[in-house]
Amino acid sequence: MLTISYIRDNRETILKGLKIKNFETPELIDQIIDMDNERRSLQVKTNELQAKMNRLSKEIGGLFKSGEKEKANQVKEQTSAIKQELETLEQDLQQANSQVTELLVQVPNIPHPSVPAGKSDADNKEIRQGGVIPQLAEGSMPHWELAKKYNLIDFELGVKITGGGFPVFRGQGARLQRALISWFLDQNIKAGYEEILPPLMVNEASGFGTGQLPDKEGQMYHVTGNNLYLIPTAEVPVTNIYRDVILNAEDLPVKNTAYTPCFRREAGSYGKDVRGLNRVHQFDKVEIVHIEHPSRSYEALEEMVSHVEQLIIKLGLPYRIVELCGGDLSFTSALTYDFEVYSAAQDKWLEVSSVSNFESYQANRLKLRFREPGEKRPLLAHTLNGSSLALPRIMAALLENRQTPEGIVIPEVLYPYMGPGNKMIS
RNA sequence: GGAGAGAUGCCGGAGUGGUCGAACGGGGCGGUCUCGAAAACCGUUGUGCUCCUUGCGGGCACCGGGGGUUCGAAUCCCUUUCUCUCCGCCA
């Protein structure tokens, strides 16, 4: 969330930014500012009274010590009225505080100045394209048919043991999945990321820290018996490692990568797009997370973009990178680049990665800060993350684009992970 | 699952009702000494909110979380989470 002091000092900038994001409720901002003014005046009153109370208590203590019991009791009598007044004041203050936060979490992040205005993904700005769209031979199939033909993924079996959207990978399909995960991780480690294998369930505080709670509660699977949530992305547990942490400036940047399964309820998604691997409830993903100095976070974003781009290039997939317009930008992001790969048999661009700079929006929720030499107080760090990469659609595109009448041709970079003699699935 | 113990500052660890925001030790930072370093010595060392006369200024809050008792709580009571030990179960 945005800091209250930033809102107080930058009302106009914020309203302008929110407009780009199609978040047109200036009343909310003014409501926050009003509420905060009230909160502060309550705080002043409360603090003054508390100070008075502290003085009296000290006085009573001193009187008792020196044996002046009667005098002490006299002072004591004064306190009861103050105490009552304090009680209501403290309650009001507490309420004001939680009201301010309640409003504050409703305000999305402010887009970076470069973010184009727009309503939907149709208004996103294409940055560049790469790779070659393959010409498929006669009789080529979409990935769900290929998966069946070569016994790589069994969607019906997943329905039996769990439900729709929980595919079962098997044989060379499972092997290819594992190969991709290992290769992604190895590439990330080579690029300086520390590998993390985090818990797959998180508590409420973590869900709040990265912004899934309270707004997107319905997107996560909730384990009610223990009040835990299945992670929708590794971003949640990994970023929360740094919740309530004050780093030293020389610790920055922090670069973490993690492979995890991801669980998403995808409530409200029906229809054509859910076919095969296009949208599932459980999927594998390798994630990269940066914690950066504010002055460097946009360089880091570019760095992450070219890293992810290299992965896609090495897999030989046709791709494009788009900068999300204001309307398509997520609640917490200031700037996001989406990566899409072209899946030839479906004749469709599939999103496989989303790389975002959250600036200090998450960090403020997380209380993730760093000590800047010469600064009296710790400053909020910037957080960024991206997929490198989301497996299902990569798998879909690989199967579809690399199919031949003889079988599916494995990308060369995966040979070492596929075992000897496995240059093709047939 | 049963029984018990505990949670204090960057770390260790004291503190069982009144100058305790917190002893002591370690670490960090600054300094003295030194050609330099070590040692020794001296000083300093949390976070948040807030006010104004924006000052090496003041107030308030914070000793796992929440609530209570009291003029006054790190200290007493309740509750919750977590950690540790023993027993049971178990990959």
Side-chain angles (χ1 to χ4, degrees):
Chain A
M1 60 193 177
L2 301 175
T3 64
I4 184 69
S5 55
Y6 182 79
I7 292 183
R8 231 185 274 155
D9 300 341
N10 298 280
R11 183 175 174 276
E12 298 311 316
T13 319
I14 289 170
L15 290 181
K16 230 165 69 189
L18 291 182
K19 203 163 187 178
I20 296 284
K21 219 160 183 169
N22 299 324
F23 190 88
E24 305 219 40
T25 49
E27 323 79 72
L28 180 60
I29 299 301
D30 289 332
Q31 208 182 338
I32 290 172
I33 293 172
D34 290 347
M35 198 64 227
D36 179 55
N37 284 334
E38 194 182 323
R39 181 199 123 243
R40 281 189 292 163
S41 82
L42 273 170
Q43 166 136 11
V44 173
K45 277 188 219 158
T46 310
N47 285 174
E48 276 169 3
L49 216 55
Q50 282 170 328
K52 195 169 174 188
M53 199 67 177
N54 287 343
R55 272 198 307 274
L56 288 176
S57 293
K58 235 170 226 177
E59 200 181 322
I60 293 169
L63 288 173
F64 271 123
K65 222 173 217 172
S66 58
E68 299 172 77
K69 258 196 171 159
E70 275 178 35
K71 220 169 171 184
N73 281 322
Q74 268 173 24
V75 181
K76 230 171 164 177
E77 273 167 38
Q78 288 179 48
T79 58
S80 67
I82 302 175
K83 210 181 162 189
Q84 269 189 3
E85 200 182 337
L86 244 183
E87 210 167 302
T88 50
L89 267 177
E90 278 174 346
Q91 265 173 26
D92 291 351
L93 179 62
Q94 209 175 11
Q95 208 185 343
N97 270 323
S98 53
Q99 265 169 24
V100 170
T101 337
E102 204 178 294
L103 294 172
L104 223 43
V105 298
Q106 293 176 37
V107 182
N109 202 357
I110 304 303
H112 186 267
S114 77
V115 169
K119 294 256 175 272
S120 69
D121 55 357
D123 301 315
N124 292 343
K125 187 167 99 193
E126 185 171 305
I127 302 295
R128 55 180 176 269
Q129 277 203 25
V132 180
I133 293 176
Q135 293 299 311
L136 295 185
E138 198 70 21
S140 54
M141 307 172 199
H143 68 271
W144 51 89
E145 283 175 27
L146 291 165
K148 195 168 209 167
K149 179 176 175 189
Y150 297 110
N151 195 27
L152 305 176
I153 307 166
D154 193 328
F155 292 97
E156 287 76 28
L157 196 52
V159 173
K160 174 187 170 187
I161 58 182
T162 306
F166 290 89
V168 176
F169 290 73
R170 61 195 316 168
Q172 286 293 80
R175 178 93 197 224
L176 178 56
Q177 181 88 347
R178 185 157 56 87
L180 282 164
I181 294 166
S182 300
W183 181 70
F184 289 152
L185 282 172
D186 287 351
Q187 292 292 304
N188 293 350
I189 291 164
K190 215 180 266 177
Y193 291 87
E194 183 197 358
E195 183 178 352
I196 306 283
L197 191 59
L200 304 182
M201 292 191 226
V202 295
N203 57 28
E204 271 184 85
S206 295
F208 179 82
T210 31
Q212 278 71 30
L213 295 175
D215 352 297
K216 291 188 245 162
E217 170 151 29
Q219 302 275 29
M220 290 191 288
Y221 287 97
H222 189 190
V223 182
T224 51
N226 301 281
N227 197 25
L228 296 172
Y229 294 88
L230 284 164
I231 59 169
T233 159
E235 166 196 345
V236 180
V238 172
T239 312
N240 271 284
I241 293 173
Y242 306 96
R243 169 154 50 85
D244 291 319
V245 166
I246 301 176
L247 297 162
N248 293 314
E250 64 262 29
D251 296 334
L252 300 174
V254 171
K255 293 167 75 177
N256 287 162
T257 184
Y259 152 69
T260 68
C262 302
F263 305 90
R264 296 188 185 176
R265 295 185 60 220
E266 301 291 356
S269 313
Y270 302 101
K272 227 179 159 195
D273 281 354
V274 305
R275 198 79 200 270
L277 289 172
N278 290 352
R279 172 165 278 122
V280 286
H281 291 306
Q282 178 185 326
F283 62 94
D284 292 317
K285 181 157 63 68
V286 175
E287 186 79 0
I288 48 178
V289 172
H290 272 229
I291 296 163
E292 274 289 351
H293 192 283
S295 66
R296 267 212 81 240
S297 68
Y298 280 94
E299 285 168 52
L301 184 66
E302 297 307 318
E303 202 179 286
M304 291 165 84
V305 165
S306 51
H307 177 69
V308 172
E309 187 174 14
Q310 281 310 305
L311 296 178
I312 296 176
I313 290 172
K314 285 179 186 163
L315 287 176
L317 292 170
Y319 67 95
R320 66 179 185 197
I321 305 174
V322 299
E323 179 178 350
L324 297 194
C325 72
D328 210 21
L329 206 57
S330 80
F331 194 76
T332 51
S333 173
L335 180 57
T336 296
Y337 293 107
D338 269 8
F339 283 76
E340 298 175 340
V341 298
Y342 187 76
S343 210
Q346 292 183 75
D347 186 21
K348 217 185 233 173
W349 290 98
L350 302 176
E351 184 193 328
V352 292
S353 177
S354 195
V355 183
S356 306
N357 188 352
F358 304 99
E359 298 190 358
S360 60
Y361 193 88
Q362 280 184 335
N364 187 35
R365 284 185 164 219
L366 291 160
K367 304 249 176 310
L368 162 50
R369 292 165 293 173
F370 70 100
R371 252 179 243 289
E372 177 82 323
E375 287 285 338
K376 205 172 171 187
R377 294 168 173 237
L379 306 175
L380 291 172
H382 280 192
T383 61
L384 305 93
N385 68 47
S387 347
S388 69
L389 291 152
L391 275 285
R393 294 171 188 164
I394 290 286
M395 177 72 84
L398 281 179
L399 296 181
E400 292 186 15
N401 292 6
R402 304 180 72 95
Q403 62 180 306
T404 65
E406 292 74 42
I408 289 154
V409 182
I410 300 297
E412 202 177 327
V413 289
L414 298 182
Y415 288 175
Y417 299 88
M418 289 300 288
N422 287 308
K423 297 180 179 174
M424 182 177 286
I425 293 174
S426 54

